[in-house]
Amino acid sequence: MNDPVDVLIIGSGASGAAVAWSLADTRMRILCLEQGDWPDSARYPSTGRDFETRQFEDYAISPNRRGLAADYPVNDDDTPIKIANFNGVGGGTVLYAGHFPRLHPSDFRVRSLDGVAEDWPIDYRTLEPFYALNDRMMGVASLAGDPAYPPKDSVVPPLPIGRTGELMGGAMNTLGWHWWPSDSAITSREYEGRAPCINLGHCGHGCAQGAKASTDITYWQEALRNRVELRTRCRVSRIETNDDRMATGAWYFDANGEEVFQPAEIVVMACNGIGTPRILLNSASERFPDGLANSSGQVGRNLMFHPYALARGRFDEPLEGFRGSRVFMWSMEFYETDPARGFLRGYCYQFTRGYGPVVTAVNGMADGVVPWGEGHHDAYRKLFDRQAGLVSICEDLPEEINRVTLDPRLKDGNGIPAPKITYRLGENTLKMLDHSLARGIDVLKAAGARDIVTRSPLPYAGWHLLGTARMGTDPKRSVVNEWGRAHDVRNLFVVDGSVFVTSGGVNPTSTIQAIALYVADQIKARLHDLFD
Amino acid sequence: MTSSTETAAGMEDVAGPVLSPAQSACLRLLAGMMIPASADYGVPGADDAVIFADMATTIGRDREALSRTLDSVEEAAGGRLADLERTDRAALVDRLRARDPGAFAVVEAVVSRAYYRDDRVLKSLGVEARPPFPKGYAVGQGDWSLLDPVRARGPIYRDAG
């Protein structure tokens, strides 16, 4: 058995890093267990001539495709949206694109405003200081004054919108739509020792420049200096409890495959919306027969993804192609509910540049705009460096039937049951996807695009893993309380995307980290009676 | 770029055999059908010896799916795709692609990954043959004054606390 620690954090990604950093100033003994290893930026795809090939190998977004020692398999046969993640220090932030919108104030009040789902037990104002702190820690590039949000400060200037942004922005101006340069977790100038973005164009497969804010190079560097211990290649299988219904620590498999018990006074789950319910469900015991912290039956339920629709076209002039950050501009025109659209809630658009030489060919053939044989070269050259488009990020409403369970057969390399995903698209979501495609085509046409192709929903886009241990004041309807503590286990906290009550229609990392900082702050403020 | 060899035993990379001789021959035929050489653009076809040798290193995690597809093509050809007349070969491949685009997407990915990183091809496209890092690329700021009408419209969010 290892020496006990005060705080055991499971997972070192977006939320685990933030909570570790914040709690470090308590001088408690803090340990984080991470199933993967430290990323090696020298191996990121953009460092090699084969950069596009390597995107589909060790830095592929699907854990099932990567199949590395750090990865656990996910049974995603029963969902049209497949799981994307990264297992290693930094977690999903190593491979995310860095699109960094906040939730909007209305996202926390969906029941009150729109009569759907449930309100959050916290609101935008509660999280606002933590959003701002997180923006500073991550070095977020943005332009102050976005009319889609309450006022917020800019940390570093926005990333360039380039010619692609001019075309799209001009088109939206003719339509009278909102658009704005995206808040991006990519620094546009030297910031806290990080080098500025040099437009490598491969943010989504690891940033070799270190301009993109993955938590291995942001929070973790400071947390380690503040004596937090991070132990890699340690995969947690289950949380142990005692007769007082308190967590006593966690069992994990170390790098040698040995099962070890780590005692702890406080356990913090930061394993994302699939990894967290997986461990809680696998921690079922005589005391907690349905899984840990699951008296409500809500652990693993209400899984939300953000279904994406994509529209892309080709233009008559050369654009940036694969050069430049993947994220640079958004539109919130259809974010707030308008019942006349036939669905409730809304979505944002994230605009996209073109692709590298290989992906242009692969997509072009898949979309039927680049033929085999005669005509291949002509069609390809019309496409290469002349493409741009958008994706819509649609709000996914919580439904109990969309869930994570333990697969009865599939196991990881340590014999721990793999998660099984059961998910279907709701009626509201389907209408929203259709609407976003139709309006997306409108803007592309207004920008002068030809040969517009669409995909909906995008199958390999299950990045945003939300809702499976949701926050609430009613222990019968939620897993954790309004400050992240499990209703059933008074020294167990959840800080990742699992706690989302609703998904909003934006990328969630900014909010995940703001919640992690908020929960850490609550822990610090309540230390004297934390377990009452 | 090339760390693979095409041998009489089939396609190999540093880790050993990737494809059997029959699969390798079938892939090379398909590569040439997919992306033929072009005198107009001064580029080789994807069945070019250097590009095809490089292809072994681009198969990676697609080996199983690729092998399955190549075997099914050979079977549909009645033994060897190479034995069919050129027009029959093209008609068969068109039919198979229409029937199972997902399987052929793997072939397209493997071929494109080797073809579109070849120095000759990149030069023809006007792309520098180098990795993105560390030099990076230049991207213009864009015209920020385009935001003026967006600002003029004022707040669009619901102030819900």
Side-chain angles (χ1 to χ4, degrees):
Chain A
M1 189 168 85
N2 294 341
D3 290 340
V5 297
D6 297 311
V7 182
L8 174 62
I9 300 166
I10 304 171
S12 69
S15 61
V19 82
W21 170 82
S22 178
L23 290 178
D25 60 25
T26 62
R27 299 293 175 190
M28 291 192 285
R29 183 168 177 201
I30 301 168
L31 168 67
C32 177
L33 297 177
E34 165 56 51
Q35 64 192 321
D37 219 329
W38 281 94
D40 177 1
S41 63
R43 293 184 61 238
Y44 286 161
S46 63
T47 60
R49 280 286 311 278
D50 54 350
F51 59 95
E52 289 188 279
T53 298
R54 286 159 65 183
Q55 292 176 11
F56 301 99
E57 297 297 324
D58 287 357
Y59 292 92
I61 62 172
S62 163
N64 292 340
R65 181 170 175 94
R66 286 192 310 270
L68 298 172
D71 295 312
Y72 56 89
V74 179
N75 180 347
D76 55 13
D77 293 344
D78 195 18
T79 165
I81 297 175
K82 308 302 179 186
I83 303 305
N85 70 13
F86 185 74
N87 296 306
V89 179
T93 62
V94 174
L95 297 192
Y96 75 159
H99 209 229
F100 223 61
R102 302 177 180 186
L103 286 180
H104 295 63
S106 66
D107 289 319
F108 299 88
R109 292 285 174 268
V110 297
R111 166 62 66 178
S112 303
L113 293 172
D114 298 323
V116 290
E118 292 182 33
D119 288 351
W120 289 53
I122 57 176
D123 58 17
Y124 183 86
R125 283 209 185 93
T126 307
L127 289 185
E128 202 164 29
F130 302 100
Y131 276 128
L133 172 59
N134 191 53
D135 284 356
R136 293 193 295 275
M137 289 300 296
M138 298 290 273
V140 171
S142 67
L143 180 67
D146 186 345
Y149 281 98
K152 52 189 169 69
D153 293 335
S154 168
V155 178
V156 295
L159 297 169
I161 58 171
R163 180 62 186 144
T164 307
E166 288 179 339
L167 276 178
M168 297 295 184
M172 282 184 280
N173 284 350
T174 63
L175 295 169
W177 289 9
H178 168 270
W179 64 278
W180 204 256
S182 298
D183 290 7
S184 308
I186 300 171
T187 187
S188 57
R189 67 177 186 207
E190 285 193 14
Y191 183 77
E192 299 291 331
R194 282 163 51 207
C197 176
I198 51 172
N199 304 305
L200 299 177
H202 290 275
C203 323
H205 301 277
C207 178
Q209 171 78 344
K212 188 184 75 174
S214 49
T215 59
D216 56 320
I217 61 168
T218 57
Y219 280 106
W220 274 117
Q221 298 306 315
E222 290 208 28
L224 294 174
R225 280 195 288 275
N226 290 329
R227 300 186 183 180
V228 173
E229 183 188 355
L230 173 54
R231 216 175 281 163
T232 58
R233 299 173 69 194
C234 295
R235 174 175 282 139
V236 170
S237 56
R238 59 202 159 93
I239 310 299
E240 193 61 75
T241 56
N242 62 18
D243 288 340
D244 295 330
R245 299 177 73 81
M246 299 281 276
T248 57
W251 289 94
Y252 69 93
F253 290 91
D254 69 13
N256 299 317
E258 299 292 325
E259 194 168 23
V260 182
F261 183 66
Q262 176 59 57
E265 296 295 325
I266 298 171
V267 175
V268 180
M269 304 297 297
C271 315
N272 79 42
I274 287 179
T276 286
R278 178 196 187 205
I279 293 174
L280 294 179
L281 292 171
N282 199 48
S283 302
S285 63
E286 282 185 11
R287 293 183 195 97
F288 299 96
D290 298 322
L292 192 59
N294 195 25
S295 65
S296 64
Q298 296 294 303
V299 170
R301 294 191 183 271
N302 307 303
L303 174 66
M304 298 171 284
F305 280 133
H306 288 142
Y308 278 61
L310 171 149
R312 179 171 64 221
R314 71 169 178 84
F315 293 81
D316 291 337
E317 61 174 297
L319 303 172
E320 287 87 23
F322 64 95
R323 305 158 193 90
S325 61
R326 298 292 80 194
V327 301
F328 58 101
M329 204 166 107
W330 64 39
S331 170
M332 302 290 176
E333 181 63 26
F334 303 104
Y335 197 84
E336 304 288 359
T337 295
D338 178 353
R341 294 180 195 137
F343 57 88
L344 296 170
R345 310 299 301 154
Y347 57 89
C348 79
Y349 284 123
Q350 174 183 323
F351 291 87
T352 60
R353 296 192 165 99
Y355 300 101
V358 171
V359 178
T360 300
V362 172
N363 284 345
M365 287 189 271
D367 292 333
V369 292
V370 175
W372 281 36
E374 275 315 302
H376 178 93
H377 295 287
D378 284 341
Y380 180 90
R381 278 163 169 75
K382 280 184 187 164
L383 215 56
F384 181 63
D385 270 354
R386 291 164 185 259
Q387 279 186 299
L390 50 84
V391 291
S392 60
I393 301 167
C394 295
E395 174 154 354
D396 205 2
L397 293 173
E399 296 188 66
E400 288 199 359
I401 56 170
N402 291 334
R403 64 186 299 200
V404 179
T405 53
L406 296 179
D407 192 286
R409 285 173 293 279
L410 190 65
K411 297 183 191 312
D412 67 21
N414 295 112
I416 306 169
K420 179 178 188 298
I421 312 303
T422 306
Y423 176 91
R424 66 156 177 77
L425 292 160
E427 275 302 309
N428 195 67
T429 310
L430 288 166
K431 288 177 184 168
M432 199 185 304
L433 282 165
D434 288 347
H435 186 274
S436 71
L437 267 188
R439 299 291 76 77
I441 291 168
D442 287 345
V443 72
L444 287 176
K445 282 182 176 169
R450 304 168 190 269
D451 294 339
I452 295 169
V453 295
T454 61
R455 291 183 198 171
S456 174
L458 277 186
Y460 291 96
W463 273 112
H464 305 161
L465 312 171
L466 308 169
T468 49
R470 67 181 178 182
M471 179 182 271
T473 52
D474 181 356
K476 292 193 177 73
R477 300 282 306 143
S478 57
V479 178
V480 300
N481 69 10
E482 65 274 24
W483 41 281
R485 193 183 76 177
H487 291 300
D488 300 348
V489 184
R490 286 169 292 140
N491 62 343
L492 176 68
F493 293 81
V494 183
V495 296
D496 57 53
S498 307
V499 303
F500 275 47
V501 181
T502 54
S503 70
V506 293
N507 316 58
T509 305
S510 172
T511 303
I512 289 170
Q513 292 186 300
I515 289 172
L517 293 172
Y518 157 71
V519 171
D521 199 61
Q522 291 289 310
I523 290 173
K524 288 188 285 190
R526 297 167 186 266
L527 266 182
H528 60 290
D529 59 355
L530 190 62
F531 305 144
D532 289 352
Chain B
M1 280 306 296
T2 303
S3 60
S4 65
T5 52
E6 189 197 356
T7 70
M11 195 179 252
E12 293 187 354
D13 70 3
V14 289
V18 176
L19 297 176
S20 71
Q23 290 168 339
S24 189
C26 181
L27 176 61
R28 191 163 186 174
L29 265 178
L30 292 173
M33 293 167 71
M34 187 187 305
I35 311 179
S38 166
D40 290 346
Y41 292 110
V43 290
D47 55 353
D48 170 83
V50 172
I51 292 170
F52 190 66
D54 188 37
M55 217 170 281
T57 68
T58 73
I59 293 172
R61 286 163 169 84
D62 286 325
R63 190 176 68 85
E64 212 174 289
L66 178 66
S67 295
R68 251 193 332 266
T69 301
L70 296 173
D71 289 345
S72 71
V73 171
E74 293 280 88
E75 190 184 331
R80 280 175 18 117
L81 183 64
D83 289 343
L84 297 184
E85 291 294 328
R86 191 186 174 90
T87 50
D88 292 343
R89 201 185 295 157
L92 173 67
V93 170
D94 282 350
R95 212 164 51 240
L96 294 175
R97 285 178 60 206
R99 191 190 303 161
D100 192 353
F104 278 83
V106 174
V107 182
E108 289 163 355
V110 167
V111 171
S112 298
R113 294 198 294 247
Y115 186 78
Y116 283 106
R117 72 179 185 190
D118 180 84
D119 288 0
R120 295 160 293 173
V121 175
L122 293 180
K123 187 178 175 191
S124 149
L125 291 171
V127 176
E128 291 176 88
R130 66 168 173 88
F133 184 80
K135 284 177 72 177
Y137 303 101
V139 170
Q141 280 292 316
D143 180 359
W144 293 107
S145 72
L146 286 166
L147 281 169
D148 291 348
V150 185
R151 284 192 181 92
R153 185 177 162 196
I156 63 165
Y157 65 92
R158 284 191 284 181
D159 192 3

